[in-house]
């Protein structure tokens, strides 16, 4: 009858179009796709976010100083701004280099095949602007070598009285701070367990907080560049609650 398009079970089983797939094969293929994509957007398993152990309250409360670090970074009245930036930048370079040295034996080409922090991969750019993906220890070595070269260059970081700082000094300091931040972020992301095992997380927390307060005070980094560690920054830069004291009255 015209308009009657019903298909019986037998006809479904025996149907075999010459120029296409059988109905049975089509249904099997569709079913396979549906099973693969069930509960997974675009058929892919959603990425699971790694737990950030450095955010645990038992760790963030550990510091080596108990005073306001902002007092250490404010520009003194009698000090030139560039002199202050130079002094602090050199100090942070030495301290972060020292902090990294404590975990350097765990940071190898095998354990850290890329310079990563919080799902971000950092690439090294040479003097000609060539982009290079390298292992974390290679990246840190590039950072420390280039910064060492800058802070010991008398024409960039002058130490003699009366010698002027270059016009590019501010941009160079920002560049150094960006590199040093990458190193700190990598230590937290990839080597915090080793740092805790050596009981050095209090030193790391204090160094990171001091460094962040410094770069914020003089706007040395774009907030977008430090946003990957914003949760840690918030946890460490929030003042700790006062330690309760037992008041014993004398009689």
């Amino acid at each position: 009858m015209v308009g009657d398009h019903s298909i019986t079970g037998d006809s479904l089983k025996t149907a075999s179009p010459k120029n296409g797939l059988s109905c049975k094969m089509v249904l099997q293929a569709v079913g396979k796709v549906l099973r693969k994509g069930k509960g997974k957007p675009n058929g892919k398993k959603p990425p699971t976010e790694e737990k950030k152990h450095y955010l645990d309250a038992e760790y963030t409360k550990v510091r080596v100083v108990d005073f306001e670090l902002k007092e250490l970074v404010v520009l003194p009245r009698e000090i030139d701004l560039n002199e202050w930036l130079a002094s602090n930048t050199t100090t942070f370079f030495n301290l972060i280099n020292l902090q990294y040295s404590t975990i350097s034996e765990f940071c190898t080409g095998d354990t850290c095949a890329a310079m990563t922090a919080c799902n971000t991969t950092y690439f090294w750019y040479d003097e000609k602007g060539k982009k290079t993906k390298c292992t974390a220890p290679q990246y840190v070595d590039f950072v420390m070598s280039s910064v060492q070269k800058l802070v010991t260059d008398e024409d960039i970081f002058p130490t003699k009285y009366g010698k002027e700082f270059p016009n590019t000094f501010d941009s160079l300091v920002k560049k150094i701070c960006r590199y040093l931040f990458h190193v700190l972020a990598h230590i937290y992301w990839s080597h915090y367990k080793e740092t805790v095992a050596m009981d050095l997380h209090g030193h790391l927390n204090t160094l990171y907080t001091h460094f962040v307060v410094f770069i914020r005070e003089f706007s040395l980094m774009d907030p977008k560049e430090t946003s990957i560690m914003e949760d840690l920054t918030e946890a460490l830069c929030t003042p700790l609650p006062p330690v309760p004291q037992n008041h014993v009255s004398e009689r």
Side-chain angles (χ1 to χ4, degrees), residues 2 7 10 20 33 35 40 46 89 92 95 105 111 120 134 138 151 171 173 177 198 214 217 227 230 235-236 242:
V2 178
I7 301 176
D10 290 337
V33 171
R35 287 193 299 273
K40 304 174 185 178
T89 300
F92 281 120
L95 291 176
E105 64 178 297
T111 61
T120 298
C134 50
Q138 287 175 326
V151 298
S171 61
V173 168
C177 289
M198 292 183 285
F214 172 70
E217 177 70 15
S227 62
E230 189 60 34
L236 293 180

Side-chain angles (χ1 to χ4, degrees), residues 183-209:
V183 176
L184 283 174
H186 179 73
I187 295 175
Y188 271 105
W189 184 251
S190 300
H191 304 290
Y192 195 68
K193 289 183 179 180
E194 292 92 342
T195 301
V196 171
M198 292 183 285
D199 199 24
L200 293 175
H201 51 299
H203 293 79
L204 179 59
N205 287 344
T206 303
L207 175 57
Y208 178 86
T209 307

Side-chain angles (χ1 to χ4, degrees), residues 140-154:
V140 175
D141 184 59
F142 288 150
V143 167
M144 298 306 173
S145 297
S146 62
V147 175
Q148 175 75 29
K149 184 178 179 180
L150 289 172
V151 298
T152 56
D153 189 332
E154 188 67 24

Side-chain angles (χ1 to χ4, degrees), residues 7-241:
I7 301 176
T8 64
D10 290 337
S11 63
L12 178 61
K13 183 183 293 186
T14 58
S16 179
K18 293 181 179 180
N19 298 320
L21 297 173
S22 69
C23 293
K24 184 176 181 180
M25 293 175 66
V26 172
L27 291 173
Q28 288 176 338
V30 172
K32 185 177 181 181
V33 171
L34 291 175
R35 287 193 299 273
K36 182 179 180 181
K38 187 176 181 180
K40 304 174 185 178
N42 298 324
K44 296 181 180 180
K45 186 176 182 180
T48 55
E49 184 176 349
E50 292 188 42
K51 182 178 180 181
K52 300 175 181 179
H53 295 284
Y54 52 78
L55 293 179
D56 289 349
E58 64 175 310
Y59 297 140
T60 57
K61 68 182 180 181
V62 181
R63 321 282 173 85
V64 294
V65 295
D66 57 359
F67 56 83
E68 181 57 59
L69 289 170
K70 186 176 175 60
E71 298 176 8
L72 294 180
V73 304
V74 174
L75 177 66
R77 292 181 180 179
E78 67 278 7
I79 301 296
D80 174 73
L81 174 60
N82 285 338
E83 289 281 0
W84 187 246
L85 293 178
S87 174
N88 280 274
T89 300
T90 303
T91 298
F92 281 120
F93 160 65
N94 290 324
L95 291 176
I96 293 173
N97 191 18
L98 181 62
Q99 187 78 47
Y100 176 79
S101 70
T102 64
I103 54 87
S104 59
E105 64 178 297
F106 308 107
C107 187
T108 67
D110 293 328
T111 61
C112 303
M115 183 64 177
T116 57
C118 301
N119 299 321
T120 298
T121 300
Y122 295 116
F123 296 87
W124 181 256
Y125 292 84
D126 62 17
E127 295 178 355
K128 297 182 180 180
K130 182 180 179 181
K131 179 180 178 181
T132 305
K133 182 179 180 180
C134 50
T135 65
Q138 287 175 326
Y139 186 96
V140 175
D141 184 59
F142 288 150
V143 167
M144 298 306 173
S145 297
S146 62
V147 175
Q148 175 75 29
K149 184 178 179 180
L150 289 172
V151 298
T152 56
D153 189 332
E154 188 67 24
D155 292 329
I156 300 175
F157 280 72
T159 57
K160 296 180 181 179
Y161 178 77
K163 192 162 187 179
E164 298 291 332
F165 286 87
N167 295 330
T168 57
F169 183 71
D170 183 69
S171 61
L172 288 173
V173 168
K174 291 180 179 180
K175 181 179 181 180
I176 291 172
C177 289
R178 186 167 65 252
Y179 284 152
L180 295 180
F181 179 83
H182 295 171
V183 176
L184 283 174
H186 179 73
I187 295 175
Y188 271 105
W189 184 251
S190 300
H191 304 290
Y192 195 68
K193 289 183 179 180
E194 292 92 342
T195 301
V196 171
M198 292 183 285
D199 199 24
L200 293 175
H201 51 299
H203 293 79
L204 179 59
N205 287 344
T206 303
L207 175 57
Y208 178 86
T209 307
H210 189 185
F211 181 69
V212 168
V213 171
F214 172 70
I215 61 177
R216 282 183 170 182
E217 177 70 15
F218 299 101
S219 302
L220 297 175
M221 286 187 69
D222 188 325
K224 293 180 180 179
E225 296 178 306
T226 60
S227 62
I228 63 169
M229 301 293 286
E230 189 60 34
D231 46 8
L232 176 66
T233 300
E234 183 177 350
L236 293 180
C237 291
T238 301
L240 293 173

